[in-house]
Structures are given as structure tokens and as C-alpha cells.
Amino acid sequence: MADEPLVLGIETSCDETGVGIVRGTTLLADAIASSVDEHARFGGVVPEVASRAHLEAMVPTIERALKEAGVSARDLDGIAVTAGPGLAGALLVGVSAAKAYAYALGKPLYGVNHLASHICVDQLEHGALPEPTMALLVSGGHSSLLLSSDITSDVRPMGATIDDAAGEAFDKIARVLNLGFPGGPVIDRYAKEGDPNAISFPRGLTGPRDPAYDFSFSGLKTAVARWIEAKRAAGEEVPVRDVSASFQEAVVDVLTRKAVRACKDEGVDHLMIGGGVAANSRLRSLAQERCEAAGIRLRVPRPKLCTDNGAMVAALGAEMVARGRPASSWDLSADSSLPVTDPHVPGHDHDHVHEVGDPAHHHDHVHEVGEGNLYS
Ligand code: KG4
Ligand code: ZN
């Protein structure tokens, strides 16, 4: 509808420069430039390389999105940008660009949370989010169960990983198997031809006394790496397809089991799955199976909207405008560790403004090159 807010969203928290344009919950454009190929040979995202690539891609990607949507920048009702969490330098490029465009065009600026955006994007696929919604957020930097009664103002953490994120585990196992980076998509592909029951890998934090909604993937990662090393040491061939399928099954079994349990315990009849790992085909099918059995409606966006993109930022920005949330102030800063409980960074609230690069707020969003070893 023409009276719904027209919002442009900018995403630069990691290695994708994403610019999306939405009108309310309708997707008009989703332009992406990725620097993933530049990081592949390092086996992880190199922050400075990502920042530089964002700088080069920013303006052309914004222009491509406007053209794709067939709208003029003058018609926008607001500009939204990922303020955090993510890589500080990479976020800064997006925040600076958003400020420049918003200021020059005289539009309100909305600094929003990357994680809440991963949830809100589903409105572009399946319409307004039910309230409350249980969300399983699984990406390269985060694995959480979140309960939200309003995605613009209330996101409550139910549980989170106590060590590695799910995507990080995929990336690390792919590295041990020499499958390249990022690991998720390629393990997903190999797993389709493997036997998920070939090897029995551990399911972290699933004992009777373990926390019900927290995750742990570090023990699984070590178990898989040791299993592979033992095969190699014995001079045997590593069955890449079976290892991929069995590892993937261990991850998605725990994720779906805990998500369904959280829905049941909280009496929530909808589960949303978002973040890059939500693109995983086995996670999608097992979640569907288990949700159906439990009478829960599952909502997962199409894979392209699960991995980082600008449309998700625009979707959350449009929701902010629609609900009359305050715009951010011009001193909005990038916050590499913006808490998941802050869906956006409202203006004139200086208590929440963190210094960019403040070591106290530094946080490992993705595996950075040279950051410890595989067993850490
Ligand atoms: O949300 P995202 O694009 O970036 C972050 O915010 O981290 O997630 C990236 C992560 C990577 O770890 C990647 O390996 C994983 O999502 N991923 C997948 C799949 N596609 C991407 N993991 C499993 N299966 C996939 N098909
Ligand atoms: Zn993400």
C-alpha cells in the first residue's frame, strides 16, 4: 500500500554490503555485494579487507537498489542501518553512509540491531510477525533462542550458546575437511549424499541437568576434528559426506529440539528461524517435521533472506517507522557488541552511546584469522 513506509536499509556488519528497499512488509529491492571471495584463502573474514570492500561497494550498491526498486531517494520515509553487533570497522562504513544519505536527503535515520533484523525479515516473506514470536537465531556469530512480543521494542533472550555459534562450528569443521569458507553451504551440499547416522557425534547440553535453552558446539567441534584426525593418522580415507551429514545432524537435532521445547514451555505456537544457518536444508526440514508434530507453525524466510542482506535492515526500519519509534540521533555510533535486547538505538540517549573501538565492548562476531586454534 502506498501509505506504508518506504525505507532503505544498509547492512555492513560482516562481509556482505547489503542494501534493501521495502514498503511496509513488501520487498522492493535486495542488492548485495560480497567480499567473501577475498576472505576465502584466509579461512575467515579479515576485518580490514571487509571494511575496504564495503567502502568500494557502498554507493554503487545503493544506486543499484534504488534502480531495482524503481524509486527515487527523495521518496524515502527513512534510512535504516545496522548499528551492531558486528565488526566495528565494517559497521562504521554503513553507519557513515546512512548518516550522509539521511542528512543530505533530510530523512530520519534508524540505527537498528542486526539480530532483530534477522527476525523481522520474515515479515517480507510471511507477513506480520505473530506476537509473541519465538525465534531461533543461528548465524556465524550468534546462536540464541529469543522471545519477542514486539520486534521493535521487546526481545527477551531465553538461551544462547555458551561457546561457539552454530555457523562458526560449520565453518570450522569445513576447514578441517579442507572444504573452504564459508563452510555452511558446502557441508549442507555434501551432507545430502551422506548418512546422518553413520557416526554418532555428541549433542551438547542435552543432559537432564543441563540448561534447557542454552547451546554448546565446542565439544561437538572437537569430537568431529578428533574423529577426522584419527582416520587420517590410520591412513584411512575420510568419508567427507558421512562426516558432513553426521555433524550437521548433531547440530540441527539440538537446535530444533530446544526450540520446540521453548515454544511448548512458553505456550508459543509459532517458531521463526533466522540467520545464515537457517539457510541449511536439513535444519529447515527437521524443524518442519518437529514443529508439525508439536502443533507449532514454522516460519523460515527463503535462504537468500536468511544470510546477511540489506532487506532485513529495511524491514526492521519500516517497522520502526510504522510503530512511531524515535529516530536515532546524528551522533549514532557503530556498536560492535550492541546487546540483542536493544532492537534499535534511539536518539538523545547518551547513556547507550558506546565509543567505536572501545576494547571493553569488543566482541568476536566472527572467527577472525589467527584467533586461537581449532580446539579453543
Ligand atoms: O547471518 P550470516 O549470513 O552472518 C552472520 O551474521 O554471521 O551467517 C553466516 C553463517 C556462516 O557461518 C555460514 O557458514 C552459515 O551462516 N551458513 C550455513 C548455510 N549457509 C550459510 N550454515 C549451514 N548451512 C547452510 N546452508
Ligand atoms: Zn547475520
Side-chain angles (χ1 to χ4, degrees):
M1 272 189 293
D3 57 353
E4 287 182 303
L6 181 68
V7 173
L8 179 142
I10 299 175
E11 153 63 34
T12 64
S13 70
C14 194
D15 58 344
E16 338 271 6
T17 312
V19 180
I21 299 176
V22 307
R23 191 184 291 283
T25 58
T26 306
L27 177 63
L28 302 183
D30 183 13
I32 286 248
S34 177
S35 62
V36 68
D37 295 342
E38 295 174 52
H39 307 287
R41 68 195 171 101
F42 299 107
V45 174
V46 185
E48 289 311 313
V49 173
S51 305
R52 197 187 170 86
H54 286 310
L55 204 53
E56 283 165 5
M58 197 74 262
V59 174
T61 311
I62 289 178
E63 283 170 0
R64 195 146 54 85
L66 287 167
K67 196 166 167 211
E68 193 181 316
V71 299
S72 154
R74 281 190 308 275
D75 301 333
L76 295 169
D77 295 305
I79 295 189
V81 60
T82 303
L87 301 169
L91 288 166
L92 196 56
V93 178
V95 169
S96 305
K99 277 188 195 175
Y101 275 89
Y103 193 79
L105 293 162
K107 309 290 181 188
L109 170 74
Y110 293 86
V112 304
N113 190 306
H114 181 80
L115 308 173
S117 301
H118 267 307
I119 299 172
C120 196
V121 70
D122 195 49
Q123 299 205 132
L124 305 177
E125 186 100 318
H126 299 111
L129 282 168
E131 294 175 345
T133 287
M134 185 68 72
L136 171 65
L137 181 84
V138 273
S139 70
H142 297 266
S143 300
S144 305
L145 268 168
L146 305 165
L147 184 58
S148 170
S149 67
D150 172 345
I151 196 60
T152 65
S153 67
D154 172 46
V155 178
R156 177 154 70 91
M158 303 279 298
T161 180
I162 59 164
D163 40 56
D164 292 350
E168 206 177 345
F170 272 94
D171 294 337
K172 286 181 178 172
I173 293 307
R175 198 143 55 110
V176 181
L177 290 169
N178 301 317
L179 298 179
F181 174 84
V186 56
I187 288 193
D188 193 346
R189 226 162 35 239
Y190 275 106
K192 286 198 174 102
E193 294 161 18
D195 175 4
N197 301 311
I199 312 148
S200 169
F201 288 129
R203 268 63 170 164
L205 294 186
T206 51
R209 269 184 289 282
D210 287 330
Y213 312 129
D214 285 337
F215 304 104
S216 166
F217 298 108
S218 160
L220 169 65
K221 179 186 72 185
T222 306
V224 177
R226 292 232 169 97
W227 194 93
I228 294 167
E229 270 166 23
K231 277 274 163 198
R232 284 181 182 148
E236 292 174 38
E237 201 182 316
V238 176
V240 175
R241 289 169 178 78
D242 284 349
V243 172
S244 296
S246 301
F247 157 74
Q248 176 178 277
E249 196 67 16
V251 175
V252 307
D253 175 24
V254 177
L255 290 174
T256 54
R257 216 193 292 179
K258 295 201 173 206
V260 167
R261 176 160 173 198
C263 287
K264 281 186 180 164
D265 290 354
E266 294 290 323
V268 175
D269 62 359
H270 275 81
L271 174 67
M272 186 275 156
I273 309 185
V277 181
N280 184 268
S281 61
R282 179 61 182 150
L283 175 59
R284 300 169 78 97
S285 64
L286 187 60
Q288 187 60 49
E289 208 176 281
R290 289 184 172 172
C291 281
E292 254 169 43
I296 296 165
R297 238 201 88 198
L298 178 68
R299 295 172 56 127
V300 198
R302 58 182 172 275
K304 199 177 170 231
L305 293 179
C306 290
T307 48
D308 290 349
N309 63 81
M312 66 191 213
V313 180
L316 183 53
E319 198 58 39
M320 295 287 171
V321 177
R323 296 198 185 222
R325 300 278 171 237
S328 300
S329 45
W330 295 116
D331 63 1
L332 172 73
S333 20
D335 182 348
S336 60
S337 57
L338 185 68
V340 68
T341 45
D342 292 356
H344 87 310
V345 184
H348 311 296
D349 184 356
H350 292 273
D351 291 348
H352 288 293
V353 177
H354 301 308
E355 287 294 312
V356 173
D358 177 347
H361 296 297
H362 180 74
H363 147 101
D364 292 328
H365 174 60
V366 289
H367 177 78
E368 292 175 22
V369 173
E371 166 218 83
N373 67 35
L374 188 68
Y375 302 102
S376 62

